[in-house]
Amino acid sequence: MADLKDFAEQLVNLTVKEVNELADILKEEYGIEPAAAAVAVAAGGGGEAGEAAEEKTEFDVILKAAGASKLAVVKLVKELTGLGLKDAKDIVDSAPKAVKEGVSKDEAEGIKKSLEEAGAEVELK
């Protein structure tokens, strides 16, 4: 019984990467597709694995670099944020800097796509 508790504790403390590796081993070597079990272990686990398994609902759009066409990026940041030209320029000049914070996934991806098309380097957090 103690061995099972130790095993259960090991499973609960797996990182997301380790859970994925375990799923691959179970599938390749034993023919078991543990998709639901892997998600349950990752979601039910404590620490980093549990936090990583939670679906994020709010994202921050971070401008990492303006790229070659800085003026186009400044104009786009102005348009996206509703800020004045000087404030938009300050955001672009002080990159890496948050352009928008706490937005939905769809909105964040749309902003990221627009900024990348203008030549900026962007990341979502």
Side-chain angles (χ1 to χ4, degrees):
M1 188 68 147
D3 289 339
L4 286 176
K5 285 188 177 188
D6 291 340
F7 180 68
E9 187 174 327
Q10 288 176 339
L11 281 176
V12 169
N13 291 322
L14 290 176
T15 65
V16 174
K17 182 179 178 185
E18 291 169 332
V19 170
N20 287 331
E21 289 175 11
L22 176 62
D24 290 342
I25 292 169
L26 289 173
K27 183 177 180 182
E28 292 170 10
E29 294 185 21
Y30 300 99
I32 299 170
E33 286 203 48
V39 170
V41 169
E48 293 176 37
E51 292 170 17
E54 292 178 20
E55 187 169 335
K56 199 169 180 181
T57 57
E58 291 187 351
F59 294 83
D60 297 341
V61 181
I62 311 295
L63 177 68
K64 291 175 69 177
S69 53
K70 184 176 172 183
L71 182 58
V73 174
V74 170
K75 287 180 181 180
L76 189 55
V77 168
K78 177 184 180 289
E79 180 183 313
L80 291 169
T81 60
L83 296 171
L85 188 59
K86 182 184 181 321
D87 293 332
K89 183 182 180 300
D90 289 344
I91 287 175
V92 173
D93 286 342
S94 60
K97 182 86 171 173
V99 175
K100 284 258 191 170
E101 295 178 329
V103 296
S104 71
K105 183 177 184 176
D106 291 338
E107 184 179 356
E109 287 175 350
I111 293 169
K112 179 181 179 188
K113 183 180 178 192
S114 297
L115 287 167
E116 286 176 342
E117 286 173 357
E121 204 176 312
V122 183
E123 130 181 86
L124 299 181
K125 286 190 175 185

